[in-house]
Amino acid sequence: CDWGRTWIQKQIEDEKLDQFGGTPMERYLRAFNWALPTLVVVVIGDVVPVTSAETLYAFAWMVLGVTINATIIGNVANIVANLETDSSDFVKKADDIKHYMHTHHVSQGLQDRVEHFMAYLWTAHKGATNEWGFIAELPHTLQMAISDHTRLKYVKDCPFFDFCSDEIIKALAMCLNPLMFSMGDVMVQYNDMGQEMFFLEKGSVEVVSGDGK
């Protein structure tokens, strides 16, 4: 018999395949039925190795399956742990702010504004308040390259700086600092000494005259 003392002969004896060993597709399906569970969990099922070569082959695939499972489970566990760490740190920070406001009898309206801002901060930025902080640790050349890509357009599109050279415009772009405001904040008041220039990246502002119109 061509399949004597092999796993196919065992399948024939168990009437999983016909006496001729079945078609190549049937043998492939029976082999695949063994391989997939063995990769996922250490299970051989109704397909068992018979010869020493088949036993060694099955053992090698079991080790590979366990290794793949361990790698996947380990990576997923690390991702979940990191997510829980970030969220727990932010929740603790939010709780500390709420406790501070409650202890100092902050008005309920202001507390609501703070809570809305914290909710937006987590939803939009995952709790990060200074996105440029980690970039400041990069070499100056990389900081310049990132600044050219993210900030240069604001200065370059401002007509007030049309007379400036490209070097000055790039230097001004490097001096921009990101600021974040909550709804209802007053950025500039009438009669304030003008010491800053603001470029609006996201959101909207309302400009009113000195008489509130």
Side-chain angles (χ1 to χ4, degrees):
C1 177
D2 293 338
W3 313 114
R5 296 186 58 79
T6 66
W7 70 273
I8 296 180
Q9 178 63 37
K10 180 65 175 175
Q11 292 285 293
I12 295 174
E13 294 175 357
D14 294 341
E15 298 183 352
K16 303 294 184 181
L17 296 173
D18 61 34
Q19 60 180 340
F20 301 106
T23 65
M25 177 57 69
E26 290 175 332
R27 293 194 296 272
Y28 175 81
L29 291 176
R30 298 304 303 170
F32 189 78
N33 180 59
W34 165 84
L36 187 59
T38 304
L39 281 175
V40 178
V41 290
V42 183
V43 173
I44 297 179
D46 60 355
V47 179
V48 294
V50 177
T51 65
S52 297
E54 290 177 354
T55 302
L56 182 62
Y57 181 81
F59 176 75
W61 278 103
M62 290 179 192
V63 172
L64 178 62
V66 171
T67 304
I68 293 175
N69 285 340
T71 302
I72 295 175
I73 294 173
N75 290 335
V76 171
N78 288 333
I79 293 173
V80 173
N82 291 334
L83 290 176
E84 291 181 350
T85 300
D86 294 339
S87 60
S88 61
D89 290 344
F90 184 80
V91 169
K92 183 180 182 303
K93 184 188 299 183
D95 289 340
D96 291 342
I97 294 176
K98 291 179 182 179
H99 177 71
Y100 176 86
M101 292 189 298
H102 178 74
T103 303
H104 291 79
H105 307 289
V106 176
S107 65
Q108 187 61 44
L110 183 54
Q111 290 188 40
D112 292 340
R113 287 182 58 193
V114 172
E115 291 181 7
H116 291 160
F117 176 75
M118 295 295 287
Y120 163 78
L121 197 61
W122 176 255
T123 303
H125 303 279
K126 297 303 179 183
T129 56
N130 184 11
E131 297 180 345
W132 188 257
F134 69 95
I135 298 179
E137 300 178 1
L138 297 175
H140 183 72
T141 52
L142 294 180
Q143 292 183 36
M144 287 287 292
I146 294 177
S147 176
D148 291 348
H149 183 73
T150 58
R151 300 179 175 183
L152 185 62
K153 57 185 178 181
Y154 300 112
V155 182
K156 198 170 185 179
D157 293 341
C158 181
F160 188 79
F161 301 107
D162 285 345
F163 65 94
C164 297
S165 63
D166 291 341
E167 290 75 14
I168 294 178
I169 292 178
K170 290 183 178 181
L172 290 173
M174 279 291 295
C175 296
L176 295 180
N177 293 316
L179 295 176
M180 190 177 299
F181 297 92
S182 64
M183 184 181 301
D185 285 349
V186 177
M187 300 170 58
V188 180
Q189 287 185 333
Y190 182 72
N191 282 334
D192 281 351
M193 180 68 69
Q195 297 179 341
E196 297 173 310
M197 175 176 287
F198 295 91
F199 295 94
L200 185 63
E201 182 178 19
K202 184 185 297 184
S204 60
V205 295
E206 184 180 8
V207 180
V208 296
S209 61
D211 56 3
K213 296 182 179 179

